Each structure stands twice: as structure tokens, then as C-alpha cells.
Amino acid sequence: MNKPSIYGLTLDQLSSWLGERGHKKFRAGQVWDYLYRQRVTEFNEMTEVNPACIALLAEHFAIQTLTEHVKQESADGTVKFLFRLEDGNLIETVLMRQKYGQSVCVTTQVGCNIGCSFCASGLIKKSRDLTAGEIVEQIMKVQFHLDAAAQDQLVTHIVVMGIGEPFDNFENMVDFLNIVKDRKGLVIAPKRITVSTSGLPDKIREFADSDLQVNLALSLHAPNNELRTRIMKINRAYPLEQLMSAVEYYLTKTNRRIMLEYILLRDVNDHQEHAQQLADLIAHMNKSASVNLIPYNPVDEHSQYQRSSQESIITFYDTLKKNGVNCTVRLEHGTDIDAACGQLRSKQIKKAAQAKNEDNPVVVGS
């Protein structure tokens, strides 16, 4: 039986776990220092921790549960990792080198059930949630990669935008956030963390109530119900009226801004009239919302969608700006590798299936 990752315990949870088993709670702080500051990969490297405590931890937990399956490095410094979990599933994690630091995009589920019609992540349906430890370990694996480069670089920013819907794995996501924010651990400031959701109204409200102080991004991608339902089936369950109500609650409760993500699809949602509808939809938010326009990375399996022309992108941007909307066009990373989220994983799974079929050909009788 596989042992759970020790990275999945918050400092308080580890302290309580040790205390319940007769060990002094301060040992948790020692263990965390070894995990997140000294970044050991084996329990026996924690030389200053009580040996009985180390033996107990090694009996019940593992430090390394992810193995690197594929690593792609882009000319712009972006690195895409395909990690294999202990159950054999594959997940993606991406390191993006920004002017302001090293940003990591993490995955929260194996597959995705949201069903956005343009997205590579949803090509393979969700099989399970990731544990908090598996999410944290993605950050640690990237940090180990940076450590190996010997350039004294640290992960400084996190975006929870990889494969899966984070709010569909809410409890593990919250534990992950509390672990990476902790001042005795990775010390990643809440303002440098962004969680993206496709729009689960009840969870948006719960997220607002949790007072995590991290940023929220909403994958909107359409300015009206008819169009959003066509490209994002989640809109059938939670139409824009419900979603915008939850967003209003979030803005009022937290007094924080929200980022609205909008992938531009050629001749689908990128016309000037769509830009005007979007501006009208969020006009009442009074500068509390900003729009991030995202040029589409084409996916072979979704050939019905293509990237918007540069002219359409500029017109869409200008229309929003003329309506007083704060907006940006996302700077692209890793365009010379499998850029779309979920694309590398999908390719590797198809490649493995093809190899299996070649090894076991179907023989048809005459």
C-alpha cells in the first residue's frame, strides 16, 4: 500500500499527529524546516530530529510520490513537467519564468469533468482528485529543478490553473494553499497565488468566506449564456446570472479584485459585439474586475477552434478599453512545446495506447 505524502499535512496537522503519538509538538517545526528550507528528500536526512520520531514518520509517510516522466524545455525558459503518480496516472506542471520571479502552474485533478469544448485538459475525464500532498509536491519538484541549476532561484508565484477544476477538489486545494503560504514553510505570499475556476457559485462563496487572501480568476470565455453554454457545458448548470451573483458576493466579502479569463476563439467569441457585451456584463463591477485576453493554443482534437487573428485581438482589446475595462493580453509562454494545458499528457497517453496496440495487434480471421 502506498504511503501518503508528508507534504499533505499543514504544520498544525503534523503537530497534532505527532502529539497524539507521544511526540513533542515542536518536532513538527523541525520536520518542516528540513522539508521546505533544507529540502531533504529522505527522512534519514533529518539528522537533528529524534530518531524515534523519524522512524514513525517513515513508517506512515513518503516524501517523494511523484516521478518525472517527461520534461520539455522551451527556448523562452518555460519548463513543462509530466509527472507520474504512484498509481500510474500522469499530471502536468509548468514552470514559467517571469520578470517578477518563477511562477508555477499546478494541477489539482487527474483529468477534468468540466467539459470545455476547446480545452485539452478535458480530453480525458476525471478519474480522481489529487491529494494536498500531490499538489504541494509539484511545487517541490519544480523547486528541486531550480536548485539543481544552482542559480539560487526560488518559486515565488503559484497559479492553480492546471488540469482539473480546483473548486471541485476544494478541501485538498485549501490545505495546499495553507501549506505553501505558511511562514515556516515555502513562505509564498497570498498576493502571489492565483486560483482559477470555471465557475462553481457555491464554492466561490465558500472561497470568499475562507479568508485565504489569495487571488481569484474566473474562466469566463463568453459574454452571454447562449454562447457560454455552447463552449462550456458547466454553464447549463450555473448560468451567468448565478455566476455573476457569486462573483458579486466574492467582491463584497473580500474587497479584492477578480481576474476574468477570456480565451479568444476565431469567429466564435472574438467579434467586436462580444467585446461590447462583455463590457456591459461587468460594467457594474466598478474596476473590481479586470479581463485577461488569452490567444488560443490550437488542440488537434478540437480542430473546430482556431486562434483569433491579431486584428481581432486588437479590436477586442480596444473595445474593452474604450468602455473603461482594465484588460491585458496574456504574454505567451512555451509556444515551441506543448503549450496548451493537458496537451502533453494527452499526447503521452495516446502514444502509450498506440504502442500497446502495436505490441498486441488485433488478428481478424478470414
Side-chain angles (χ1 to χ4, degrees):
M1 181 177 177
N2 295 329
K3 300 173 186 176
S5 171
I6 186 125
Y7 291 127
L9 296 179
T10 66
L11 183 56
D12 286 343
Q13 288 169 348
L14 179 57
S15 179
S16 297
W17 190 90
L18 289 172
E20 290 167 0
R21 288 156 181 80
H23 290 272
K24 291 181 169 55
K25 292 186 176 183
F26 78 86
R27 297 289 183 200
Q30 290 182 308
V31 172
W32 260 50
D33 184 79
Y34 274 108
L35 288 174
Y36 298 110
R37 302 294 175 82
Q38 301 186 50
R39 296 193 281 280
V40 302
T41 57
E42 301 289 343
F43 284 111
N44 59 18
E45 296 179 73
M46 301 181 181
T47 54
E48 296 180 7
V49 180
N50 178 280
C53 180
I54 291 301
L56 181 67
L57 291 172
E59 179 185 355
H60 289 87
F61 298 102
I63 296 180
Q64 300 191 74
T65 66
L66 276 60
T67 55
E68 186 180 296
H69 185 65
V70 175
K71 180 168 65 178
Q72 293 182 337
E73 299 193 47
S74 169
D76 65 14
T78 300
V79 184
K80 175 169 274 196
F81 300 87
L82 190 66
F83 292 122
R84 185 177 293 279
L85 306 174
E86 288 190 315
D87 61 7
N89 280 302
L90 299 173
I91 59 170
E92 289 183 5
T93 308
V94 184
L95 166 64
M96 295 167 287
R97 299 181 184 275
Q98 311 278 12
K99 292 181 179 179
Y100 50 75
Q102 313 304 317
S103 181
V104 178
C105 179
V106 298
T107 283
T108 55
Q109 294 180 315
V110 178
C112 183
N113 281 344
I114 297 302
C116 299
S117 62
F118 50 82
C119 181
S121 294
L123 289 171
I124 301 167
K125 297 304 180 185
K126 171 190 164 183
S127 59
R128 71 173 177 88
D129 293 328
L130 294 189
T131 66
E134 289 170 327
I135 308 174
V136 174
E137 192 175 346
Q138 293 173 62
I139 300 294
M140 298 308 298
K141 288 293 190 185
V142 175
Q143 185 59 61
F144 293 151
H145 169 83
L146 293 173
D147 291 343
Q151 296 176 349
D152 295 325
Q153 294 177 328
L154 296 173
V155 173
T156 57
H157 294 70
I158 296 173
V159 287
V160 188
M161 296 183 182
I163 298 170
E165 166 53 59
F167 281 5
D168 189 37
N169 188 14
F170 194 83
E171 291 185 6
N172 287 326
M173 182 201 67
V174 169
D175 279 348
F176 159 75
L177 294 174
N178 284 322
I179 291 165
V180 297
K181 291 191 307 158
D182 198 292
R183 293 180 179 275
K184 294 183 179 180
L186 293 174
V187 206
I188 297 179
K191 66 181 180 180
R192 294 179 173 180
I193 302 172
T194 300
V195 177
S196 176
T197 178
S198 57
L200 304 180
D202 290 346
K203 292 301 181 182
I204 291 174
R205 290 183 168 86
E206 189 174 349
F207 187 73
D209 292 337
S210 64
D211 195 32
L212 288 163
Q213 300 295 309
V214 304
N215 303 309
L216 178 64
L218 171 64
S219 295
L220 189 61
H221 307 318
N224 61 66
N225 277 320
E226 186 277 328
L227 181 54
R228 194 166 192 264
T229 298
R230 178 149 57 96
I231 65 176
M232 299 178 70
K233 70 179 184 181
I234 190 174
N235 202 71
R236 300 171 192 164
Y238 306 112
L240 283 173
E241 292 78 12
Q242 292 184 35
L243 188 54
M244 290 298 107
S245 176
V247 168
E248 285 292 337
Y249 180 86
Y250 170 83
L251 296 175
T252 302
K253 179 75 175 184
T254 66
N255 197 31
R256 299 179 66 84
R257 295 171 59 83
I258 188 170
M259 174 72 75
L260 304 177
E261 298 171 307
Y262 196 103
I263 288 179
L264 291 163
L265 306 169
R266 178 175 294 187
D267 294 329
V268 176
N269 66 349
D270 65 344
H271 295 165
Q272 186 172 8
E273 65 187 83
H274 296 133
Q276 186 60 55
Q277 289 173 16
L278 177 58
D280 294 341
L281 179 68
I282 64 176
H284 64 288
M285 293 185 182
N286 298 322
K287 304 293 184 181
S288 294
S290 57
V291 176
N292 189 17
L293 300 176
I294 306 170
Y296 181 59
N297 285 312
V299 176
D300 290 344
E301 293 85 350
H302 297 315
S303 58
Q304 72 272 32
Y305 295 121
Q306 298 298 321
R307 176 185 291 241
S308 295
S309 67
Q310 191 63 25
E311 181 182 359
S312 294
I313 294 173
I314 292 171
T315 299
F316 203 101
Y317 173 87
D318 287 344
T319 302
L320 292 179
K321 295 294 283 187
K322 288 175 182 176
N323 280 270
V325 176
N326 181 22
C327 64
T328 56
V329 177
R330 177 178 290 180
L331 180 65
E332 296 184 85
H333 294 271
T335 53
D336 54 337
I337 56 178
D338 292 303
C341 181
Q343 199 167 30
L344 175 59
R345 173 175 177 262
S346 177
K347 283 185 177 180
Q348 289 297 313
I349 290 174
K350 285 194 296 183
K351 189 181 295 184
Q354 182 179 358
K356 183 177 179 180
N357 289 336
E358 290 172 353
D359 290 340
N360 300 282
V362 176
V363 178
V364 181
S366 57

